[in-house]
Amino acid sequence: MMIDAIPQELQQRLDKFNQQHLVTHWKDLSSEQCSRLMAELESIDFAEIQQALATKAASTSAETPASRAARCQPPSQLIRLADLEQDAEKRQQTEKAGLKMLRDGKVGVILVAGGQGTRLGFDHPKGMFPIGPVSDHTVFQILFEQVIARSQQAGAAIPYFIMTSDATHDETVAFFEEHDYFGMNADDVTLFKQGTMPAIDAETGKVLMSAPNAIAKSPDGHGGMLQALHKSGAFARMVDAGLEALFYHQVDNPSVIVCDPILLGCHQIYESEITTKVVAKMSAEERMGVLVEVDEQMEIIEYSDLPSDVASATDDSGNLRIWAGNTAIHVFSVAFLKRLHDAGIDLPFHLANKKVPYIDADGQLVEPAKPNGIKFERFIFDVLPQATKALVFEADRDREFNPVKNAEGNDSPETAKAALIRTARNWLESAGAIVAGKVPVEISPLFALDIADVKEKIEPGRMFAEPTYLR
Ligand code: UTP
């Protein structure tokens, strides 16, 4: 059926929010294209966008992020790496508790993989990036193998919940199927898609269009996970499965220790609602969110909101006072996430100025040279202040935090590959093996999850003179 007139109700909504330009090209569209545009427009919550803009304006006048940051303190509920390393008994006790949680089937894993990965500039979902320094295996494969190995170690299935977005979903599903879920039981894998948010013109507040019948949209941030878990039914699945804790990680860090039993054990023993792994910042200038307490509440401050005098302040020993860099590795209690949902808590939107290609009034595509649009994203760490009990756990940076963010330089494939080699080399040498010169070595999680596994499998004195992948 031909749709020749703009439905009255739609026109009224557009008038109300001053977004009439969204139907400029209506007359030039086929009825199919009109239907698609209508569906898109119906899915947009204009009031929510308006409110996000208003909240942002209000917060700048009340208290700036910088003035808030000026009151921040280092986290107090804290486990420092050096303390744990010296306390063998505590290590053993927490590890045992974590392994028991896994064995009892109380732990699920969440991977957020819906980001667009613009900085990396890879033409596929980031998880498909070949990061294995010898094997060339993808980030997805390395992460899946960790879950498989950990579940073999625990003797129980560990369900894997993977968040995708419109930008990554179809390719991710096809990739998993093509690779037979990397050997994992497909029934233990749940994919759920996050929502999207339209981008707006930074000057006029008008929603940008990517085509005459399409809105310029992007994923709504990793914090979109909260809504997406409920909307998709994944959360109900977690509850039905009797899960109590969720190990959360991001697709860009292949050296994360998925379901680290020590972290899980600490989370349980301290009765924490959210436990976060942090690493010591390398310098005051490092562009990394920091975990702090403000007015006795735990929160993460983005690097761009941390004034340089606060960032560079040192303690009596000369160490950075605000030192705890966020790795985006968390453990959430299922009960905590349920409480947030039941209380109807929505995470705030963060607004970012970005270059957003759009079509102009003549229907021509414009590729802006500088940021022209505002994108709206929710951040998962904004749940932190809601926790009645939160714990911070310091990780070994070299071993566990090597994200792939940029195409080159810091936090790039090169640094992540070097880290995987470094860990494999350390483990082999600790087991008494000899790794020649600069020979690259790589260990699949299916071969070993830690040094102890390597020691069981590698004879002291074994020589590695050629690039080697152990699996
Ligand atoms: P980043 O903040 O690094 O964003 O995501 P990104 O989209 O991957 O990369 P850039 O900024 O465009 O270069 C951190 C983690 O959060 C996930 C990403 O997939 C990554 O695991 N993420 C991010 C989502 O799942 N959804 C989003 O909307 C944004």
Side-chain angles (χ1 to χ4, degrees):
M1 192 191 76
M2 181 79 183
I3 309 177
D4 36 30
I6 299 164
Q8 203 185 352
E9 196 223 350
L10 173 60
Q11 187 63 58
Q12 281 169 354
R13 257 183 92 218
L14 297 178
D15 290 342
K16 180 172 169 198
F17 293 101
N18 199 18
Q19 300 286 345
Q20 300 88 340
H21 68 291
L22 295 173
V23 286
T24 306
H25 306 285
W26 185 270
K27 282 198 208 65
D28 309 324
L29 303 177
S30 67
S31 49
E32 211 177 293
Q33 289 172 321
C34 285
S35 303
R36 194 181 150 206
L37 179 58
M38 252 168 43
E40 286 237 279
L41 295 176
E42 265 156 31
S43 72
I44 298 185
D45 189 341
F46 292 112
E48 185 176 53
I49 298 173
Q50 225 171 39
Q51 198 188 342
L53 288 169
T55 311
K56 170 84 179 160
S59 73
T60 3
S61 54
E63 182 181 41
T64 63
S67 65
R68 191 171 170 74
R71 297 202 304 282
C72 72
Q73 302 290 330
S76 56
Q77 279 294 330
L78 172 69
I79 296 177
R80 294 274 343 209
L81 184 63
D83 296 342
L84 199 61
E85 270 166 1
Q86 278 161 20
D87 192 342
E89 200 180 312
K90 189 166 173 185
R91 269 182 79 88
Q92 268 176 9
Q93 184 203 5
T94 51
E95 186 170 19
K96 212 170 134 197
L99 283 171
K100 179 160 176 4
M101 288 166 76
L102 289 163
R103 199 167 42 248
D104 291 346
K106 301 290 183 205
V107 183
V109 184
I110 299 186
L111 169 65
V112 290
Q116 293 170 305
T118 40
R119 283 170 288 173
L120 180 61
F122 179 57
D123 227 7
H124 304 282
K126 209 184 258 188
M128 288 168 62
F129 192 92
I131 201 71
V134 181
S135 67
D136 248 359
H137 285 168
T138 59
V139 183
F140 277 140
Q141 175 151 2
I142 291 174
L143 296 175
F144 266 79
E145 288 186 358
Q146 278 215 52
V147 180
I148 295 168
R150 190 66 74 190
S151 106
Q152 284 166 354
Q153 181 193 44
I158 300 178
Y160 207 3
F161 295 86
I162 298 170
M163 184 169 85
T164 57
S165 64
D166 278 345
T168 62
H169 187 80
D170 294 349
E171 250 191 296
T172 302
V173 174
F175 193 65
F176 288 177
E177 280 174 4
E178 185 191 328
H179 291 270
D180 221 359
Y181 294 80
F182 310 101
M184 191 159 166
N185 182 352
D187 290 343
D188 290 331
V189 181
T190 304
L191 282 114
F192 65 103
K193 225 204 260 188
Q194 68 179 106
T196 50
M197 278 298 284
I200 61 165
D201 183 291
E203 276 180 21
T204 61
K206 301 219 185 250
V207 170
L208 292 166
M209 301 192 78
S210 60
N213 70 329
I215 304 301
K217 291 192 295 192
S218 49
D220 59 357
H222 38 64
M225 181 190 102
L226 282 192
Q227 278 186 348
L229 275 177
H230 289 280
K231 234 174 154 175
S232 64
F235 194 76
R237 213 171 158 174
M238 292 169 171
V239 173
D240 289 348
L243 302 182
E244 290 177 3
L246 301 167
F247 180 93
Y248 166 101
H249 66 125
Q250 304 195 149
V251 78
D252 44 27
N253 182 8
S255 64
V256 57
I257 305 177
V258 178
C259 287
D260 177 0
I262 298 181
L263 183 75
L264 291 169
C266 289
H267 177 81
Q268 191 192 50
I269 290 167
Y270 283 74
E271 296 176 345
S272 170
E273 289 190 316
I274 169 170
T275 301
T276 300
K277 270 197 175 172
V278 297
V279 291
K281 269 178 75 176
M282 288 193 291
S283 69
E285 296 76 32
E286 189 175 10
R287 297 171 145 224
M288 194 174 196
V290 281
L291 221 128
V292 297
E293 278 176 30
V294 179
D295 307 336
E296 291 175 16
Q297 254 180 353
M298 199 93 87
E299 67 177 59
I300 286 175
I301 300 187
E302 288 179 84
Y303 68 83
S304 49
D305 288 337
L306 195 67
S308 59
D309 58 325
V310 181
S312 58
T314 49
D315 61 19
D316 294 343
S317 326
N319 297 317
L320 289 179
R321 202 173 75 84
I322 301 302
W323 62 274
N326 176 30
T327 63
I329 299 166
H330 308 283
V331 179
F332 298 110
S333 289
V334 172
F336 173 51
L337 296 190
K338 181 168 184 316
R339 179 157 65 74
L340 295 183
H341 180 67
D342 292 349
I345 295 205
D346 266 342
L347 300 181
F349 279 111
H350 294 249
L351 280 48
N353 287 304
K354 298 264 167 110
K355 284 192 255 178
V356 183
Y358 65 99
I359 55 152
D360 62 16
D362 300 328
Q364 297 301 313
L365 185 71
V366 182
E367 293 274 358
K370 52 184 182 33
N372 60 315
I374 296 180
K375 286 190 179 180
F376 298 83
E377 285 197 16
R378 291 184 156 118
F379 295 163
I380 192 63
F381 57 68
D382 280 327
V383 299
L384 257 169
Q386 305 291 338
T388 45
K389 220 166 164 196
L391 176 69
V392 177
F393 182 105
E394 186 185 6
D396 175 348
R397 181 167 186 149
D398 283 352
R399 159 75 182 92
E400 302 178 44
F401 185 61
N402 301 281
V404 179
K405 297 280 187 193
N406 308 310
E408 47 197 36
N410 288 344
D411 298 341
S412 66
E414 195 189 338
T415 56
K417 284 183 186 189
L420 294 173
I421 295 175
R422 189 169 62 227
T423 297
R425 178 179 275 269
N426 283 346
W427 289 0
L428 290 169
E429 287 176 351
S430 308
I434 301 146
V435 185
K438 292 197 165 102
V439 165
V441 280
E442 180 187 346
I443 295 180
S444 158
L446 297 177
F447 183 83
L449 280 172
D450 51 29
I451 292 184
D453 288 347
V454 177
K455 285 187 175 162
E456 272 178 26
K457 295 186 176 173
I458 297 290
E459 292 287 310
R462 184 164 156 191
M463 179 75 189
F464 291 88
E466 300 289 332
T468 306
Y469 173 57
L470 292 166
R471 187 161 188 248

